[in-house]
Amino acid sequence: MYKMLIVDLNRHTDSKTMAALDWSELGFTIENNAGAADGALAQLASKPYSLVLINMVGMPDEGLALCSRIRAESRIPILLIGDGTNFQLARKAMYYQVSDYLPAPLCADELSASLRLIKRKLDSAGRADREMRPSESAPSDLSVIDKVKEYVTEALSQTITLKQISNILHFNCSYLGQKFKYHENMTFNEYLLQQRMEKAKFLLESTDLKVYEIASEVGYSEMDWFYKKFKSYTGVSANEYRKMMSITA
């Protein structure tokens, strides 16, 4: 069974829907509950969990802030319940790489489907981890990948190379690149581009920063290169993207 922490920020989670689920059949057990961000973070620090479910209906700022604080320390799957009428909120939630975002009121079928998908991913990650253990040192592979991701998040506005990270972590660059691709199903450079572009999208949607300021925030000193990469990634220019998001908001 995968242990789950439920964080009910507004203390009004749909208990009927939750109670209607066969949690053991879904592969999860509700290990603990928390009613505030600090309590949730304390719980996560005290014992291992496989999933965090956060109900942030009516409290979107607190919910996103908690996601940010969790992501600063962990890549644990996060399942968010939020205001289904708020498109911008759902997009901001995706910035924190949540596993799923479900609109309130909860639908039992949708919640079950989401939990099954998360379980399949957890099972797959577990199998991959076991297969990567030919020696005593192998269990550290996932923690190393997490360190690479954390470095990228913290240094996104700077020049970042895998060789640079390899030197910091005292790993062979080629070896680390292979491990990263195995666990993430993408190369390091593809991941770095994804993180830069997703943060750029987030900043275009949620701030009034100039495009050149956003480019700098995500590590691009040459505007032409940023414009080229952004349009290749999204299909539209940065200015067009901002206009599209303002129209749909």
Side-chain angles (χ1 to χ4, degrees):
M1 291 288 175
Y2 292 109
K3 296 179 180 179
M4 180 171 67
L5 172 65
I6 293 181
V7 185
D8 192 359
L9 294 177
N10 70 5
R11 301 180 184 276
H12 287 91
T13 294
D14 189 340
S15 57
K16 290 183 179 180
T17 300
M18 302 287 282
L21 298 184
D22 185 342
W23 292 98
S24 60
E25 190 272 334
L26 291 168
F28 291 91
T29 178
I30 301 175
E31 188 73 6
N32 270 306
N33 292 269
D38 288 342
L41 292 169
Q43 290 280 4
L44 290 170
S46 67
K47 63 176 65 176
Y49 291 89
S50 297
L51 173 65
V52 182
L53 185 152
I54 302 174
N55 175 25
M56 61 176 191
V57 174
M59 304 187 73
D61 293 338
E62 290 84 348
L64 292 177
L66 177 55
C67 287
S68 177
R69 294 174 70 183
I70 291 174
R71 279 291 171 261
E73 302 292 337
S74 171
R75 310 308 298 179
I76 186 172
I78 299 174
L79 175 55
L80 281 181
I81 303 169
D83 181 358
T85 63
N86 194 328
F87 174 76
Q88 286 289 81
L89 177 60
R91 292 196 63 86
K92 290 176 182 178
M94 292 302 111
Y95 171 73
Y96 294 107
Q97 299 180 337
V98 301
S99 296
D100 203 354
Y101 177 94
L102 299 179
L106 275 177
C107 168
D109 289 341
E110 289 183 357
L111 180 56
S112 295
S114 180
L115 289 167
R116 292 182 192 281
L117 179 58
I118 293 171
K119 181 180 182 298
R120 284 199 294 272
K121 292 181 178 179
L122 289 169
D123 289 344
S124 178
R127 286 193 298 271
D129 188 36
R130 289 191 295 272
E131 292 169 0
M132 295 295 289
R133 294 184 179 181
S135 67
E136 290 298 318
S137 63
S140 65
D141 285 343
L142 286 175
S143 64
V144 170
I145 299 304
D146 283 341
K147 290 183 186 302
V148 173
K149 290 175 162 183
E150 289 169 6
Y151 183 93
V152 168
T153 299
E154 294 171 0
L156 203 58
S157 63
Q158 305 169 26
T159 299
I160 303 174
T161 66
L162 186 59
K163 182 172 179 58
Q164 179 185 35
I165 299 174
S166 300
N167 291 336
I168 293 172
L169 298 179
H170 305 291
F171 268 81
N172 175 274
C173 184
S174 178
Y175 174 83
L176 185 57
Q178 292 173 2
K179 293 298 182 186
F180 191 94
K181 185 174 182 180
Y182 180 89
H183 285 288
E184 299 300 315
N185 295 317
M186 66 176 74
T187 67
F188 172 78
N189 286 336
E190 288 171 340
Y191 176 81
L192 178 59
L193 176 64
Q194 178 193 70
Q195 296 305 298
R196 292 193 194 282
M197 294 297 103
E198 289 300 321
K199 184 170 183 180
K201 287 165 58 180
F202 173 73
L203 293 174
L204 285 165
E205 296 170 22
S206 60
T207 74
D208 294 321
L209 290 173
K210 303 295 185 183
V211 174
Y212 73 86
E213 294 174 316
I214 292 174
S216 179
E217 283 290 318
V218 297
Y220 289 90
S221 58
E222 297 181 10
M223 285 301 298
D224 287 345
W225 190 237
F226 171 75
Y227 278 125
K228 179 179 180 180
K229 287 295 184 181
F230 189 88
K231 187 166 186 179
S232 176
Y233 186 83
T234 64
V236 295
S237 71
N239 287 320
E240 289 171 335
Y241 183 85
R242 174 170 270 170
K243 290 178 182 177
M244 289 167 53
M245 292 301 102
S246 65
I247 291 173
T248 58

